[in-house]
Amino acid sequence: MLDQIIHSKSEPGHIWPSESLTRVPYWIFQDRDTYVAEQKLIFQGPSWNYLCLSVELKNTGDFITTFVGDTSVIVARDSDGELYAFENRCAHRGALIALEQRGNTKDFSCVYHAWTYDRQGNLRGVAFKDGIKGKGGMPASFCMEEHNPRKLRLAEAFGIVFGSFSNDVPPLEEHLGEEIYSRIGRVMNGRTPVVLGRFTQALPNNWKLYMENVKDSYHASILHLFFTTFELNRLSQTGGIIVDPSGGHHISFSAIEPDAAKDNEYAEQDIRSDSEFKLADPSLLQSFKEFPDNVTLQILSVFPTFVLQQIQNAIAVRQVVPRGTGRTDLHWTLLGFAEDTPEQRLVRLKQANLVGPAGYISMEDGCVGGFVQRGIAGASGEQAVIEMGGADTDSSESRVTEASVRGFWKAYRARMGM
């Protein structure tokens, strides 16, 4: 596989354009060999991938099926109280072991030939292993212990469960760094998460285009008219971006300044920033103070595909699942907390309308990646220009920058050996 990738990079049009992070070739979103290599080098390489929330697996026998890249994975809680994760692929002929998204079970049995596995991913039974009446069956040399599905390392940060196929990835807290780790803790804040709802959104674009979008603080108040119309997010507001040294993790944050005079920067740019639309129910945006700081928007990403979002009191985790070079699934899990009052729970449910496939804010993100995927269809030899705010990946008090997008490509190229 690696030989094939090295070969493909040597082909015309498949060479990264320069050492600079300000140019991104469009073939990176289109090339099938690159997609295959990403699964091995990034998702199954030294990365911590978001799997689920520990609160989703409270009881012995609870399990969930999730993804690492496009690889299906089972996470289950066993009778010792611990979580275990293993590949959702029967060691016999490769069929899915678990077909449901979630449930509770004593063990797992492949529907194809009834090979069974315990909740730690160990092969425990092979139907007709010894044949019938001394005929047929597996050879005497067959050893079940040698045929377990691949298992993952697990680690948690504030009830958020990450997994890795790699033994080389550093401990999760070290991998995230103090700044990212503490900002996850700021949102979860020692509380007990409650799942308020889930969406799965089909995106018509490569997974990296969505991750670029998440990290792109420059676009947010330009693309999303709701943000500027109701002054939830303007580039002129107090805020900034934080990019970790690897480039792969980031935080974008801002604070509403209700007493600040309305700025003219957007009008001077002659770009759309206000609309005639009004809210039929203005209580949608009536928030409660949840954090000791004044940050009203925080978007946090962990390389490669995890997002933790706070928009007002709308808290959500997003899991980005590649489905091919031009398809991506985006799983949203909306969160409240067991400690919420009924009034706070109602605010969160109302503000859930801001996000998701039809969210007043996030709906544009569901289509703009498709605009890019379609726009570059005949331009694999061309490249994107990512120079807003300079050429580096430094943290900044300004959000008029693409530093965190460049950071993503810094981490990506390091993992891919480009």
Side-chain angles (χ1 to χ4, degrees), residues 10 26 56-57 63 96 118 121 185 189 200 206 256 266 273 334 376 409:
S10 66
Y26 291 139
E56 296 179 279
L57 303 163
F63 74 91
L96 292 171
D118 65 20
N189 197 23
T200 293
N206 187 277
I256 296 175
Y266 286 79
S273 60
L334 302 175
I376 64 175
W409 291 111

Side-chain angles (χ1 to χ4, degrees), residues 325-344:
T325 54
R327 289 184 55 219
T328 300
D329 281 350
L330 175 58
H331 299 297
W332 299 77
T333 303
L334 302 175
L335 299 181
F337 297 93
E339 295 80 0
D340 289 346
T341 65
E343 293 77 16
Q344 291 171 335

Side-chain angles (χ1 to χ4, degrees), residues 52 57 59-64 74-78 80-86 105 108 118-121 154:
C52 61
L57 303 163
N59 304 310
T60 297
D62 285 351
F63 74 91
I64 190 169
I74 297 171
V75 186
R77 190 177 295 280
D78 204 4
D80 62 359
E82 298 295 322
L83 292 177
Y84 297 86
F86 49 97
T105 188
F108 299 92
D118 65 20
R119 292 181 296 223
Q120 298 186 20
L154 292 181

